[in-house]
Amino acid sequence: MILGFAVMAILALMACALLYAAENKAKALSNELFKERAISSTLRNEKHHEWERAEVLQGEVYALKQDIADLKTKPEQEFKQLQEEQQDELGFGQHVKWRSTKKPTSQTYRLHFDIEPNGQRILEELTARFKRNVFTDDERETCRRIGRAEVVDFIISRINTANDPRYTEQLELAHMEQNDE
């Protein structure tokens, strides 16, 4: 009988331990659920704020697109007006003021036509315009086209010189001074 009470006491102790463990697990799951709900609520709020910001930004994008469309139509008119004003002021032809500067090096050509995006676009236009088929049935026209293509070839040659790993600007400047170019 004592043995029976001992077994019953051990079983009761085990049941209590199991109940305690189950209760702790339930509390842990409850806390985890509470944390997930809090995170979900926070994420919902952030999502709502992001939607509001997206709507504001969408309105700004629409306004900027309108501005861009307006600006695209404006330059042609303004450029024509500027040309007319300049012709009225100057009379006729192009008047350019020349400044005395040092001669450009191959590095200068590289910086302006190879690295700078606007220079790349200019070189592409010059190449497309003046490097097309130079040979025609008319000998004089062929010579004229070869002469025009020579300018583009010169620019490309200077760029290639600057891109050579052995090139130094100081060496070219020394050569230019020596030859008085």
Side-chain angles (χ1 to χ4, degrees):
M1 182 142 156
I2 292 181
L3 189 59
F5 283 128
V7 169
M8 291 293 265
I10 291 174
L11 287 175
L13 186 61
M14 287 175 72
C16 287
L18 286 174
L19 281 173
Y20 180 74
E23 185 179 334
N24 282 343
K25 189 165 186 158
K27 282 182 183 177
L29 288 174
S30 174
N31 287 339
E32 197 172 312
L33 180 63
F34 179 74
K35 286 178 187 175
E36 285 183 15
R37 282 186 181 164
I39 290 171
S40 175
S41 175
T42 303
L43 289 176
R44 244 184 275 123
N45 286 340
E46 287 177 8
K47 189 177 181 182
H48 177 72
H49 291 300
E50 289 298 320
W51 281 340
E52 287 176 346
R53 279 183 256 170
E55 287 176 1
V56 168
L57 290 175
Q58 200 169 20
E60 289 178 9
V61 166
Y62 179 74
L64 289 173
K65 282 182 180 179
Q66 290 289 27
D67 290 346
I68 289 171
D70 292 342
L71 290 174
K72 282 183 180 178
T73 58
K74 218 176 192 183
E76 271 187 46
Q77 297 165 352
E78 289 180 356
F79 184 69
K80 286 179 184 176
Q81 184 181 7
L82 179 64
Q83 280 182 329
E84 290 171 4
E85 288 173 4
Q86 284 180 349
Q87 284 180 351
D88 290 342
E89 288 176 11
L90 301 175
F92 62 91
Q94 300 289 331
H95 296 276
V96 179
K97 290 184 179 178
W98 292 94
R99 292 182 284 159
S100 177
T101 60
K102 64 180 184 175
K103 294 194 181 239
T105 62
S106 296
Q107 183 68 18
T108 307
Y109 283 88
R110 180 175 168 263
L111 290 173
H112 289 287
F113 290 107
D114 193 29
I115 294 176
E116 209 270 311
N118 289 329
Q120 291 173 359
R121 291 200 311 254
I122 290 170
L123 184 59
E124 285 175 19
E125 182 183 18
L126 290 173
T127 303
R129 186 171 188 162
F130 299 117
K131 289 283 290 179
R132 58 181 181 232
N133 188 10
V134 293
F135 298 103
T136 64
D137 294 335
D138 183 14
E139 183 180 341
R140 295 186 101 186
E141 178 65 18
T142 300
C143 289
R144 189 179 73 78
R145 288 184 181 184
I146 289 172
R148 290 185 343 174
E150 237 176 68
V151 174
V152 177
D153 290 338
F154 175 78
I155 293 170
I156 292 171
S157 170
R158 296 296 296 263
I159 292 168
N160 289 338
T161 300
N163 284 331
D164 189 322
R166 298 170 295 176
Y167 170 80
T168 63
E169 194 171 23
Q170 290 80 15
L171 183 65
E172 184 179 14
L173 287 170
H175 176 74
M176 288 169 74
E177 280 182 19
Q178 185 181 22
N179 293 332
D180 264 340
E181 291 181 359

